[in-house]
Amino acid sequence: MDLLRRGPALVLVTDGPRTARALLPGQELCADVPTVQVADTIGAGDAFGGTFLAWWLASGMTRSDLHRPGPVREALQAAAEVASLTCTRVGAEPPWLAEVSGWPGRPSGSA
């Protein structure tokens, strides 16, 4: 992808109900997006980005870890799940931390 050649270590791509992708130099990681009954998509993108960052920081990851496919895949999956849950609610209403902290793959303290 041309965007990666411009300098970012990672590019995240969402496409509604289709697979979410993380593009790293020379590698593409995918996460399935859970099927949900959509009430509204307002806030889903913010929930996705916020969850990826919250997961990343709660896991002790830094920019220098963005090349690691395992953690990127886990953060990508968490982000897809939280964004999907956000779509089940009217308005920009992402889930609270307590609603998702027990989900598999979630480090303690992340959303």
Side-chain angles (χ1 to χ4, degrees), residues 24-75:
L24 295 87
Q27 190 169 18
E28 179 177 326
L29 306 173
C30 297
D32 290 332
V33 175
T35 301
V36 297
Q37 182 68 39
V38 176
D40 195 344
T41 60
I42 300 294
D46 291 336
F48 182 92
T51 299
F52 188 95
L53 291 172
W55 189 100
W56 202 255
L57 293 173
S59 297
M61 301 292 162
T62 67
R63 178 175 169 75
S64 65
D65 295 306
L66 288 172
H67 71 282
R68 297 178 55 198
V72 170
R73 185 176 288 111
E74 289 182 42

Side-chain angles (χ1 to χ4, degrees), residues 38-48 82-95:
V38 176
D40 195 344
T41 60
I42 300 294
D46 291 336
F48 182 92
V82 170
S84 292
L85 181 56
T86 301
C87 289
T88 67
R89 302 162 183 213
V90 175
E93 191 65 40

Side-chain angles (χ1 to χ4, degrees), residues 90-105:
V90 175
E93 191 65 40
W96 292 92
L97 177 60
E99 294 177 80
V100 297
S101 61
W103 290 6

Side-chain angles (χ1 to χ4, degrees), residues 4-29:
L4 285 172
R5 287 189 287 272
R6 295 176 186 224
L10 172 71
V11 174
L12 299 173
V13 180
T14 62
D15 190 14
R18 288 168 284 288
T19 303
R21 298 179 295 147
L23 307 173
L24 295 87
Q27 190 169 18
E28 179 177 326
L29 306 173

